[in-house]
Structure formats: structure tokens, C-alpha cells
């Protein structure tokens, strides 16, 4: 009788495979309140590495971290009409506290544009105070009707940047910088995920923004996932909160603003972009554990060599974990590390010790090969670099091979329904065509210029709509 697979095969049921993997790789559990999640240590380790890499890039962009309250007066959200209308269905509102009804209900933070702008209006007085560049790492709550762990949860973790500038041009350029040099650089260079950089259509734009820049990635099943967004807010919030500054000419001017965010949704993207029927495949530059050194048997000499090898690799800058839990069968431990997607397993047994080698198993490229123990320190960085590049190449090849150029709404729907992406000239599609796509649960993920760059305007000549079904 054939052995049952550890995970539901992707080809049989992709959503079940996703949930199986989250459970078996010990990434997260469902929380006690519908739509919430408990992020387990290994899953949180992935998020911590994302935070570290993103935070470094955000700081290089000149922003400083701060923290703002979780509770926001309800009156704040009503100051920017389009913003409150966009978030109204998702709000969690607290009406009682301390055993009595509150005089004014408070909203649990869905995003922080309103409360941050209230303080920006106090902190910005002169052109000398600009640009003001703030980021916060926090949790947010948006009441989710169709929750899915990491992808859509009622509470999730994220970073949100908020900035104020003296001119429209400065704000526009900063939003574009975050889009490309922070988000795209991280997603491509660290996550190994090929992303399309584009501009959201008016109907998909962030509530209260004048422009939204997005990064869209194709998942293993062909659906799109929005990995992050960067918004030009114009002066909408500045006027609502009276955020003004005294210019060099002595005039009172409203600031121009941006906001931008990415979240634990990226963990879901990591799973669906790189995972296979054996589990996760974690890019080496992201991996909390780049290599695990396993003792095959509980032989004292083997265990000693495994620990020594771990120390040598760690000293060489490899993020390594030693697995000498020989009271647990080796096969089970190997499968567990495979599920978790650790890029490299270094397996050492009595025979390996005799021959001065280790069996090196590559999770990303696949395959096993004996490697001299003395050459591990020099060989491992090369392997990790090769596998990092392989993941990005596979991600890009998947998107390119599964994207077709079409000329009608019907062809676009057909492509998306088959689990692919389509490209259609925006001049042919337009808002009417976009509405027709929506009737078939298909959306315009973004607009790109003919050459693949980010267009300067929604109606720029030659704009192409990238169309897909999405998470």
C-alpha cells in the first residue's frame, strides 16, 4: 500500500495544501476569536527576519520608528470622508470600558493615517520641520468576513510608514522610492519573489489616496497576491487635520503626504510562491535557519562532530541549528526540517564520520551529495547563493510563462479562470471593462506602462492592465 502523503498535493487542492503546510510546519494556529491567528515560533521567526530586512531598508530611506495608540477616537475617522467610507465595513468599535458606556466610542486601529495626522498637525510648524518621515511596527484590526491564516486575518502585524513633505513632487518621489528601493528590493532580493510594480486603478486605490503603487506576485496556483502598497495621499488628510507649515516665503501651506505598508501577508506569499508538495522552501537570505546539522544516530563521536560542525558554520556566518535529538527517529526529524523549508541539511552518521564526509541535502534545488566535512565552510555559502537565485528564477519563469496578452474582456476572464494572468491595453478595457471583470471575480491588479515600468498617470498612453484572480 502506498504511503499517504504528508501534505495534500497542490494539484489536488491548493487551499487544503496551504492549510496543511501551515499546520505541519508549525507556522501558526487559528486564534480563539474567528479570524485571529496565533503565530508559532518558527512562523514568527520568518516574520522577525522580514522585519529586520525591511527595517534596515526603511531606515536607509530616512524614516524613524515611532509608536501610536491602538485606540483611535471615532471622530478622527469621520474627518476624511473617503477614508472612513472605505474602512467602515471593517471597523471594530469599542463602546464600553471600565464597566460603563464610553462617552465617545473608540475604533481599534485599522490603519493610522488619522491619528498620526492629528500629531503631524502639532509637530509641523515650519518648512524646517519637513520632510517628516515616520514608520511604526504594530498590529491592526480589520473585521474580516472570509479569514485565511496570514492572508486575511482580523488582526495582523505590519509596518506602516507616514510622511509629510513640502511639495507634491517630494511626496510623489518618496512614495516611488519606498515602492522600488524598499519594497521591491526586499521582495526580489530577499524573498526571492518576482513582483510586478504598477499603479492601482481608481477603483482599487487606497481610500483617501490620490495614487496607490502596488507590488503584485503570482502564487503557485496562478492567483495574484498584493505584497505591499505605497500611497500618495496628496493634501486630503492635511486639509482634514489642518497640517500646515510656514514656507520660506512666509506663507501657510498644506503639506503633501504619503503612507505605505506591508504585513504578515508576506508570510502567506512566501508559502504560496515557493512551497511544494514536500513543504516550505525558504530563501536562504531570509531563512532564520539556513542549515541544520543532524546527528543520524546517538553515537557520542557523531554527536560531538555534529556540534563541532555547527560551531564552525556559525563562526563562518551561517545561521545554523544543531539537531542532536537522537531519541527522535532520524527520518521523522528529516521530514520535519523538509516541511519547514530549511535550505540545507547536513546529515552526519557513523559511516560519514569514518569517511570524513557529511551527506548534504538541498531543499530548494533538491538532491543529496556527500561533501567532505572540511569543505563545508567554503561550500555552503556557494550553495545558498545558488539556491537563492534559483527561487527567484523559478518565480519569474512561472509568471512569464503563465501571462498572456489578450484583447477582450472575455479572453481576460478565460485566462484568469484558468489560473493565469492576462495583459490587456487599458484603452481597450477601461472602467467599464473593469466592472465587467469584477462580475467574474477578476480584478485589474495594476496598470503598467508598455515597457513594464510604472506609469505616471492612470490614463497615460500605452498603459496595460495586468488582470488576474487574487487572494
Amino acid at each position: 500500500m502506498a504511503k499517504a502523503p504528508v501534505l495534500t498535493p497542490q494539484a489536488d487542492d491548493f487551499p487544503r495544501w496551504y492549510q496543511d503546510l501551515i499546520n505541519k510546519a508549525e507556522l501558526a494556529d487559528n486564534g480563539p476569536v474567528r479570524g485571529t491567528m496565533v503565530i508559532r515560533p518558527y512562523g514568527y521567526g520568518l516574520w522577525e527576519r522580514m522585519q529586520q530586512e525591511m527595517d534596515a531598508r526603511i531606515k536607509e530611506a530616512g524614516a524613524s520608528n515611532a509608536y501610536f495608540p491602538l485606540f483611535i477616537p471615532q471622530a478622527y475617522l469621520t474627518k476624511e470622508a473617503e477614508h472612513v467610507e472605505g474602512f467602515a465595513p471593517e471597523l471594530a468599535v469599542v463602546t464600553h470600558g471600565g464597566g460603563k458606556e464610553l462617552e465617545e466610542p473608540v475604533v481599534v486601529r485599522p490603519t493610522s493615517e488619522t491619528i498620526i495626522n492629528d500629531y503631524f498637525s502639532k509637530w509641523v510648524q515650519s518648512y524646517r520641520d519637513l520632510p517628516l518621515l515616520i514608520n511604526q511596527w504594530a498590529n491592526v484590526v480589520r473585521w474580516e468576513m472570509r479569514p485565511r491564516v496570514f492572508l486575511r486575518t482580523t488582526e495582523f502585524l505590519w509596518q506602516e510608514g507616514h510622511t509629510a513633505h513640502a511639495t507634491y513632487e517630494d511626496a510623489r518621489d518618496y512614495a516611488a522610492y519606498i515602492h522600488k528601493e524598499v519594497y521591491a528590493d526586499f521582495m526580489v532580493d530577499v524573498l526571492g519573489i518576482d513582483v510586478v510594480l504598477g499603479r492601482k486603478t481608481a477603483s482599487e486605490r487606497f481610500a483617501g489616496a490620490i495614487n496607490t503603487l502596488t507590488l503584485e506576485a503570482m502564487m503557485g496556483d496562478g492567483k495574484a497576491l498584493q505584497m505591499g502598497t505605497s500611497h500618495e495621499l496628496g493634501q486630503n488628510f492635511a486639509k482634514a487635520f489642518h497640517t500646515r507649515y510656514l514656507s520660506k516665503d512666509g506663507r501657510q501651506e498644506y503639506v503633501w503626504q504619503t503612507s505605505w505598508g506591508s504585513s504578515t501577508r508576506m508570510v502567506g506569499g512566501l508559502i504560496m510562491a515557493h512551497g511544494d508538495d514536500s513543504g516550505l522552501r525558504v530563501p536562504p537570505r531570509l531563512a532564520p535557519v539556513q542549515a541544520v546539522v543532524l546527528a543520524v544516530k546517538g553515537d557520542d563521536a557523531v554527536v560531538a562532530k555534529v556540534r563541532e560542525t555547527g560551531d564552525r558554520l556559525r563562526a563562518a556566518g551561517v545561521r545554523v541549528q544543531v539537531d542532536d535529538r537522537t531519541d527522535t527517529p532520524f527520518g521523522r526529524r528529516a521530514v520535519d526540517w523538509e516541511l519547514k523549508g530549511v535550505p540545507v541539511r547536513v546529515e552526519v552518521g557513523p559511516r560519514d564520520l569514518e569517511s570524513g564526509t557529511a551527506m548534504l541535502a538541498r531543499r530548494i534545488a533538491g538532491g543529496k551529495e556527500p561533501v567532505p566535512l572540511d569543505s563545508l565552510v567554503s561550500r555552503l555559502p556557494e550553495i545558498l547563493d545558488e539556491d537563492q537565485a534559483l527561487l527567484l528564477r523559478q518565480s519569474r519563469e512561472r509568471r512569464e510563462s503563465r501571462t498572456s496578452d489578450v484583447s477582450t474582456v472575455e479572453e481576460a476572464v478565460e485566462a484568469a479562470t484558468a489560473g493565469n494572468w492576462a495583459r490587456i491595453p487599458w484603452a481597450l478595457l477601461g472602467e467599464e471593462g473593469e466592472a465587467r471583470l469584477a462580475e467574474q471575480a477578476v480584478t485589474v491588479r495594476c496598470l503598467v506602462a508598455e515597457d513594464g515600468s510604472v506609469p505616471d498617470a492612470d490614463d497615460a498612453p500605452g498603459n496595460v492592465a495586468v488582470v488576474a484572480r487574487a487572494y
Side-chain angles (χ1 to χ4, degrees):
M1 183 179 293
K3 190 176 180 181
V6 176
L7 303 174
T8 301
Q10 289 185 352
D12 291 355
D13 188 336
F14 195 85
R16 176 62 63 86
W17 166 83
Y18 177 79
Q19 196 59 52
D20 280 356
L21 179 48
I22 286 172
N23 292 335
K24 298 276 178 74
E26 299 179 336
L27 300 179
D29 273 327
N30 290 314
V33 175
R34 185 178 183 275
T36 61
M37 62 176 168
V38 175
I39 306 176
R40 299 185 67 176
Y42 190 71
Y44 199 81
L46 294 171
W47 176 240
E48 282 184 312
R49 287 283 306 136
M50 291 181 183
Q51 279 186 299
Q52 291 164 15
E53 292 283 350
M54 291 278 290
D55 199 58
R57 286 165 171 78
I58 288 168
K59 285 171 178 166
E60 284 177 11
S64 300
N65 287 335
Y67 186 80
F68 292 82
L70 175 69
F71 296 123
I72 300 173
Q74 192 173 43
Y76 280 26
L77 271 81
T78 62
K79 289 187 177 183
E80 213 290 325
E82 187 179 345
H83 187 68
V84 69
E85 183 180 349
F87 278 100
E90 301 176 330
L91 296 180
V93 182
V94 179
T95 58
H96 289 72
K100 60 183 181 180
E101 187 172 351
L102 301 178
E103 290 185 11
E104 180 188 357
V106 296
V107 172
V108 183
R109 173 176 55 219
T111 180
S112 299
E113 274 77 10
T114 58
I115 192 167
I116 288 178
N117 270 279
D118 185 58
Y119 285 86
F120 275 14
S121 68
K122 299 174 183 178
W123 298 344
V124 174
Q125 301 297 324
S126 159
Y127 69 90
R128 297 182 184 88
D129 301 320
L130 299 173
L132 180 55
L133 313 174
I134 295 291
N135 178 65
Q136 81 164 341
W137 292 94
N139 60 339
V140 293
V141 170
R142 299 178 185 177
W143 216 256
E144 184 57 56
M145 296 296 104
R146 294 180 296 279
R148 185 172 297 180
V149 174
F150 289 123
L151 298 177
R152 289 189 177 274
T153 49
T154 296
E155 179 191 11
F156 55 91
L157 307 180
W158 77 344
Q159 59 73 214
E160 51 176 319
H162 300 268
T163 70
H165 304 261
T167 67
Y168 161 74
E169 290 77 14
D170 284 350
R172 177 200 62 197
D173 292 348
Y174 195 80
Y177 181 90
I178 294 292
H179 186 223
K180 184 178 180 182
E181 303 300 333
V182 174
Y183 289 161
D185 183 74
F186 164 71
M187 291 167 193
V188 172
D189 197 52
V190 178
L191 293 187
I193 296 177
D194 177 62
V195 288
V196 173
L197 282 70
R199 179 186 183 101
K200 286 291 190 184
T201 62
S203 65
E204 293 286 329
R205 194 177 294 153
F206 177 71
I210 62 171
N211 182 31
T212 290
L213 303 173
T214 184
L215 303 101
E216 303 286 332
M218 180 183 280
M219 301 294 99
D221 61 350
K223 286 186 178 178
L225 184 72
Q226 178 181 290
M227 298 285 286
T229 48
S230 183
H231 315 288
E232 296 175 46
L233 301 181
Q235 294 179 312
N236 292 342
F237 289 90
K239 290 177 179 177
F241 286 85
H242 306 293
T243 310
R244 296 186 295 178
Y245 70 98
L246 189 66
S247 72
K248 290 181 180 179
D249 300 331
R251 295 196 304 269
Q252 286 289 329
E253 305 277 3
Y254 286 107
V255 298
W256 296 83
Q257 293 181 268
T258 77
S259 69
W260 27 277
S262 61
S263 74
T264 38
R265 166 176 280 217
M266 290 191 295
V267 179
L270 173 76
I271 296 167
M272 294 193 297
H274 295 321
D276 62 19
D277 286 346
S278 297
L280 269 176
R281 294 191 305 161
V282 181
R285 289 178 192 163
L286 177 75
V289 179
Q290 294 175 313
V292 59
V293 187
L294 290 92
V296 175
K297 291 185 177 180
D299 179 287
D300 287 347
V302 168
V303 170
K305 178 57 72 173
V306 161
R307 292 174 180 170
E308 177 202 320
T309 301
D311 289 341
R312 285 197 299 121
L313 291 173
R314 195 173 292 112
V318 177
R319 294 189 290 276
V320 67
Q321 185 162 329
V322 168
D323 186 346
D324 54 8
R325 301 169 296 157
T326 51
D327 54 345
T328 300
F330 170 75
R332 178 178 173 181
R333 288 182 287 135
V335 169
D336 284 346
W337 289 114
E338 191 164 69
L339 279 165
K340 286 181 165 61
V342 171
V344 173
R345 297 197 311 275
V346 179
E347 302 169 355
V348 182
R351 290 181 183 174
D352 302 301
L353 208 56
E354 288 177 9
S355 62
T357 63
M359 188 60 69
L360 194 146
R362 295 174 66 169
R363 178 67 185 89
I364 294 165
K368 284 188 172 187
E369 59 177 305
V371 174
L373 283 164
D374 292 343
S375 69
L376 277 173
V377 167
S378 60
R379 179 80 178 100
L380 217 54
E382 296 173 3
I383 289 172
L384 295 175
D385 284 346
E386 289 171 9
D387 289 349
Q388 180 78 33
L390 176 61
L391 283 176
L392 179 60
R393 187 164 65 250
Q394 290 175 341
S395 175
R396 181 167 294 136
E397 287 172 353
R398 177 200 299 130
R399 179 183 63 80
E400 291 177 346
S401 67
R402 297 176 66 171
T403 301
S404 58
D405 290 309
V406 302
S407 56
T408 67
V409 170
E410 290 72 25
E411 289 174 341
V413 170
E414 183 180 356
T417 304
N420 299 310
W421 288 14
R423 288 165 42 95
I424 182 170
W426 179 242
L428 290 178
L429 185 67
E431 293 180 0
E432 182 181 334
E434 186 178 18
R436 288 169 58 199
L437 289 176
E439 293 172 2
Q440 303 297 320
V442 177
T443 53
V444 175
R445 302 315 306 157
C446 62
L447 300 174
V448 297
E450 279 182 298
D451 63 359
S453 62
V454 180
D456 293 330
D458 294 351
D459 57 355
N463 275 2
V464 175
V466 178
V467 171
R469 283 193 167 157
Y471 284 99

